[in-house]
Amino acid sequence: MTTSEATTNGDTSRSVSVKDVAAAAGVSVGTVSNVLNRPEKVSPATLEHVQQVIGRLGFVRNDAARQLRAGTNRAIGMVVLDVRNPFFTDIARGVELRLAEHRRPLILGSSDQDAERESTYLDLFEEQRVSGLLITPVGKVLPRLRRLRERGTAVVVVDRRTGSREFSSVAVDDVRGGRLAAQHLLESGRRRIAFIGGPRGLTQIKHRLHAAQEEVDAVDGARLRFVETGTMDADAGRRGAEDLLAGPDRPDAIFAANDLVALGVLQALTLAGVRVPEDVAIIGFDDIDFAASAAIPLSSVRQPRAEMGRAAIDLLLAAIDDPAAQVRDIVLEPELVVRRSTG
Ligand code: RIB
């Protein structure tokens, strides 16, 4: 059966097939296939001639049909916690650039930290038989990831270490990042520190908070208070800061779970007439571009996002090529970036 090919203007009524191109070019179907898939096997003169005929006839390969025959989809699925957070879109950008080199499309979804939404995307990617999946998990997804892998989808976890030894992961050292932020606030004389952001059960938050708590516990007279939020966006930061300002125990420093939360904290303090950093210092996490360009430039703990994206997709492509490829946990170094918001 000839797989019919759509013409470039999408008119499938007169779709052009590989056979049509071969006949018009006066070459075999095998030669046309080589021009499309293995151009290095074709002489330059024949390559140019066949490519001209392809352009003139408006032939477009039907990759969907080829993938249907192969049983897998060349696309890569990616589920992040919040697609509005530049931290994740910066990572996705690194992934997309690498995939373009491999002619693979990226399908990006946002769980919005909701386990149901996350599951809907996993269903979609399973139905689509995507070749690979990058995921920053919300819920307990290990059983789902195992099933995806059994059905031929490679999986890499991003922004969180799994410790499962079943799936590779790429993340920053969140414990080190939590220490850097807390040490910086303590060294600048802050003693009443609030950590805003959550949920507490999210591995990244658990590690940052626990490390900060250890640093605070080691300093006489210092204390840390955790203000848990359901999401990690600017609204959560605003609400968390407003609650703190309304309470009796005002902090002299706020460690925000990420920069979006920190930007919300900064807005709430500024609107309440609280001076930053004089009255309250603020530090975030990720060092997204908005941190440096905030009205009061934000100190933050930088995550190497582009490097994270490249490392994640390289691990995934390796696992697609060889399902028995070694499972690796890549842990990247965070970096303290000091700006005006901590003085
Ligand atoms: O993954 C949880 C948080 O860690 C995200 O919001 C992102 O900002 C990263 O810092």
Side-chain angles (χ1 to χ4, degrees):
M1 178 186 79
T2 307
T3 48
S4 67
E5 312 295 349
T7 57
T8 43
N9 65 10
D11 173 7
T12 53
S13 59
R14 55 177 198 81
S15 57
V16 177
S17 73
V18 172
K19 279 184 178 176
D20 297 331
V21 173
V27 298
S28 69
V29 168
T31 298
V32 176
S33 175
N34 281 340
V35 167
L36 295 170
N37 302 304
R38 292 168 294 283
E40 69 282 357
K41 293 180 178 294
V42 182
S43 72
T46 302
L47 187 63
E48 184 181 354
H49 169 57
V50 173
Q51 284 171 338
Q52 281 173 353
V53 171
I54 284 173
R56 178 162 51 80
L57 297 184
F59 168 82
V60 176
R61 68 171 68 205
N62 182 341
D63 215 27
R66 193 179 58 76
Q67 292 179 69
L68 200 60
R69 288 194 298 276
T72 57
N73 181 336
R74 286 179 56 76
I76 300 296
M78 184 172 185
V79 186
V80 298
L81 290 180
D82 182 355
V83 76
R84 298 166 302 167
N85 182 346
F87 168 77
F88 291 110
T89 43
D90 287 350
I91 291 177
R93 180 79 176 120
V95 168
E96 185 195 21
L97 290 174
R98 184 70 98 205
L99 286 179
E101 298 166 15
H102 294 262
R103 288 176 52 79
R104 284 183 180 272
L106 176 67
I107 308 173
L108 178 62
S110 182
S111 63
D112 295 349
Q113 290 184 235
D114 176 89
E116 280 302 306
R117 277 182 66 86
E118 180 177 74
S119 181
T120 303
Y121 274 111
L122 293 180
D123 293 343
L124 170 71
F125 292 142
E126 195 165 344
E127 289 156 16
Q128 292 289 321
R129 294 289 191 279
V130 296
S131 301
L133 169 70
L134 296 173
I135 182 167
T136 302
V138 176
K140 308 282 181 223
V141 290
L142 272 181
R144 283 301 303 271
L145 301 187
R146 290 185 188 115
R147 196 168 82 191
L148 274 158
R149 183 183 53 197
E150 283 156 15
R151 296 187 174 176
T153 296
V155 177
V156 169
V157 174
V158 182
D159 182 37
R160 187 173 106 178
R161 284 185 248 179
T162 59
S164 73
R165 306 305 313 145
E166 292 182 72
F167 300 101
S168 291
S169 67
V170 181
V172 80
D173 182 342
D174 285 301
V175 171
R176 173 93 180 110
R179 287 201 199 290
L180 286 172
Q183 287 167 355
H184 173 55
L185 294 175
L186 291 163
E187 285 161 7
S188 59
R190 311 291 169 157
R191 292 294 179 269
R192 300 188 313 283
I193 300 173
F195 183 105
I196 298 182
R200 176 196 306 266
L202 201 69
T203 306
Q204 302 86 307
I205 302 310
K206 192 164 44 180
H207 289 174
R208 293 173 200 173
L209 176 61
H210 180 73
Q213 186 66 66
E214 285 188 338
E215 293 301 318
V216 167
D217 290 347
V219 173
D220 287 342
R223 60 181 188 279
L224 179 77
R225 179 179 166 191
F226 176 44
V227 179
E228 186 166 16
T229 62
T231 57
M232 284 177 282
D233 51 21
D235 277 341
R238 268 192 291 277
R239 287 195 304 273
E242 286 162 358
D243 291 350
L244 283 172
L245 293 177
D249 182 13
R250 182 173 289 194
D252 59 9
I254 292 174
F255 176 6
N258 67 22
D259 289 341
L260 292 184
V261 172
L263 290 169
V265 168
L266 177 60
Q267 187 185 43
L269 297 186
T270 305
L271 291 175
V274 174
R275 296 174 304 159
V276 176
E278 294 78 2
D279 299 332
V280 179
I282 304 172
I283 189 165
F285 208 101
D286 299 337
D287 197 32
I288 59 175
D289 295 346
F290 295 123
S293 58
I296 296 176
L298 273 178
S299 295
S300 187
V301 177
R302 176 174 297 156
Q303 292 209 59
R305 302 179 299 284
E307 185 184 348
M308 202 181 272
R310 283 194 303 272
I313 195 58
D314 286 347
L315 278 174
L316 190 66
L317 292 172
I320 291 170
D321 288 346
D322 174 10
Q326 181 197 2
V327 172
R328 295 178 60 201
D329 278 334
I330 296 179
V331 181
L332 302 173
E333 272 303 301
E335 177 194 351
L336 177 66
V337 180
V338 179
R339 299 193 179 95
R340 180 85 182 86
S341 70
T342 56

